[in-house]
Amino acid sequence: MSADHEIDNLLQENRHFAPSAEFSAQAIAQPGIYETAKADRLGFWANQANQLHWHKPFTQTLDWSNAPFAKWFYDGEINISYNCLDRHVEAGNGDRVALFFEGEPGDTREITYAELTAEVKKAANVLTDLGVRAGDRVAIYMPMIPEAIVAMQAVARIGAVHSVIFGGFSAESLHTRIDDAQAKLVITADGGYRKGKASALKPAVDEALSGGKCPSVKNVLVVKRTGQDVGWVDGRDIDWNSALANAATEHVAQGFNAEHPLFILYTSGTTGKPKGVLHTTGGYLTQAAYTHKNVFDLHAETDIYWCTADIGWITGHSYVAYGPLANGASQVIYEGTPETPDWGRWWSIAEKYKVSILYTAPTAIRSFMKLGSQIPKQYDLSHIRVLGSVGEPINPEAWMWYRNIIGAGSAPIVDTWWQTETGAIMISPLPGITTLKPGSAQHALPGIEIAILDEDGNELGNGHAGLLTITEPWPAMLRGIWGDPDRFKETYWSKFEGIYFAGDGAKFDEEGDLWLLGRVDDVMNVSGHRLSTAEIESALVSHPFVAEAAVVGANDETTGQAVVAFVILRQNQLANAGSDADVSKMLRDHVTKEIGPIARPRTIMVVSELPKTRSGKIMRRLLRDVAEDRPVGDVTTLADTSVMDIISGKIAGGASD
Ligand code: PRX
């Protein structure tokens, strides 16, 4: 949780921005929505669900009798891909652009709803021809290209379960995830364009599957994006383009039970093993579509929506691959990085496509802010009318910059709090209704019930920091952890009876607006990406030179937090290890190989001791003090109180990366 002085600063925020009368008059969410949901929460969700097409209508909204395993709309049948695609074509909107694709090299494609539907039907037939059946798992490891969305939609259309693995994960991470889910098929690409060059993906898949390591995988479907040379295993590897060209064009979407599994998405928890968060169909789509429409005030006929998240994260699932398509939105997807060929790229895309709704992360906003307003000011951003933020707390300074420079001083900002586990947005202002306060996520959405509790489960009033909990089930909630029902109960439902504990600290201010105060567990948030201290520690100790490792997330001006690792080297390796700088590089490379570039520590500090309590628990709080370069806090619970002097002395001596 943030330091006390930061909390106090936050609570001094007294700027308020009421919605303009003009905005409110046209807004999707109208006053009264909170009261309606409060008066009949389940009825409210049933109404939201009924905006979708059901192959077989549901008669019961929620079955919570086997809590915490929820069943939403469970006697209904639905096809998620039909809702995202065919439905719009049948309603006469087939010519509307679904995807404006911008490749990093500058190549572009416009894909209408009719074209996207046709592609997904062919891909669904390819999957079926390859023997993929409802319930089978399919791993997806792809760049941000339209085929990635086609792949997800096609897998969902036939009732198979996708597990998208972010392209920044290494072969080793890919292997563990493919194996855990026992995937039958992997869909990948030769590579994608990043930072001005072709960056390979297929070799990581080859390595992950090498030596019979993932026997469940029968085939690898490969999109040729970059044309770079890649290995090819005959009989296993299949070219996406030729397979689609030869596939039957018709595919009738069948209804699946609302609780049919839709996807697994691995995320970091407090242990070394990532959790396969499981989502199901009807409730997930209901809340993804409802939040996408109301929180972003989506007017599908006129808005151009752009969410910059990669499909490898939950935001790319709910607010790229599913929510926007369910609502018939026209959206931009961009393959590359914001600085390619220069830091004006995002703004040139926003200008070119007349983006009206932009959804991104505070890290990106802070990076742009650091470079100065003159870059975005060169572009016409006048179409932007709603701005979204996700993934980490947005500091008031970045909030103001975002509103003034990107939003012309008038666009409402929706700071959306949610998690991989919640599946969809839970806490956010509603533009057109909420009077905004920079830095605060403000209120639970209509239909969502939250409470801030102390350690004993007592509800805290305004002005008191505590633990953020969700007190009633919600449609897009995770249904479990893949293959580990006990871990699901233990992780989320054991701290408070019948209540979901999110892992975040939070506080209502004196006006009842909610402030997120960061994780209270050992989960870090680096550039909005979730990383576990334990996972990086176990990667470090898997190196033969490392005896012990402790990882902390230290505050970082741009990335929110940064990974800082303290390592003790094995005595018998000290002579081979080289300088601290050599060790640091070697271990950072090792983490990159074991987990992926996203987990690469910013700093490695070689130390001779770690601060531990008498029971052997590492006191990360003290290491965080060192990493953040401030006086070390209370050391009285340490088994050996001199340890921190030794560490601080060494660090002051300049032994960091
Ligand atoms: O700590 C919270 C932070 O991100 C965590 C969830 O991470 P992940 O599952 O990767 O999903 C990120 C995208 C939804 C949360 O436990 N977080 C997310 N959104 C916010 C946030 N912290 C503060 N403000 C937010 N708007």
Side-chain angles (χ1 to χ4, degrees), residues 39 49 77 136 249 317 368 418 473 508 560 572:
E77 283 178 8
D136 286 347
T249 51
H317 283 59
F368 289 119
W418 57 297
F508 288 114
N572 58 0

Side-chain angles (χ1 to χ4, degrees), residues 154-277:
V155 169
R157 187 174 183 93
I158 63 167
V161 181
H162 57 69
S163 163
V164 182
I165 298 138
F166 177 57
F169 281 115
S170 67
E172 184 49 37
S173 294
L174 193 53
H175 157 234
T176 3
R177 286 159 173 77
I178 292 174
D179 202 44
D180 187 73
Q182 290 288 293
K184 198 170 188 176
L185 174 74
V186 180
I187 309 180
T188 188
D190 47 2
Y193 291 99
R194 285 183 64 75
K195 302 196 178 180
K197 26 180 222 285
S199 162
L201 284 169
K202 172 80 167 30
V205 175
D206 291 338
E207 195 185 327
L209 304 185
S210 66
K213 272 192 303 211
C214 297
S216 60
V217 175
K218 304 289 175 257
N219 292 104
V220 179
L221 204 45
V222 188
V223 176
K224 300 249 173 80
R225 163 67 182 145
T226 58
Q228 64 201 117
D229 255 352
V230 287
W232 204 260
V233 177
D234 286 330
R236 184 196 73 181
D237 297 352
I238 294 163
D239 177 64
W240 167 279
N241 272 339
S242 13
L244 259 76
N246 294 323
T249 51
E250 222 5 271
H251 183 275
V252 179
Q254 125 195 25
F256 292 97
N257 185 280
E259 283 299 335
H260 188 77
L262 175 64
F263 66 83
I264 305 168
L265 185 57
Y266 287 86
T267 188
S268 298
T270 50
T271 72
K273 188 174 184 281
K275 302 176 281 200
V277 169

Side-chain angles (χ1 to χ4, degrees), residues 267 313-315 389-394 415-421 441 502 504 516 518-519 525 528-530:
T267 188
W313 307 108
I314 190 68
T315 310
S389 172
V390 61
E392 49 181 319
I394 174 164
D415 175 7
T416 62
W417 178 89
W418 57 297
Q419 308 176 295
T420 304
E421 292 87 342
D504 281 33
L516 273 315
R519 300 286 304 195
N525 194 326
H529 297 156
R530 197 159 140 182

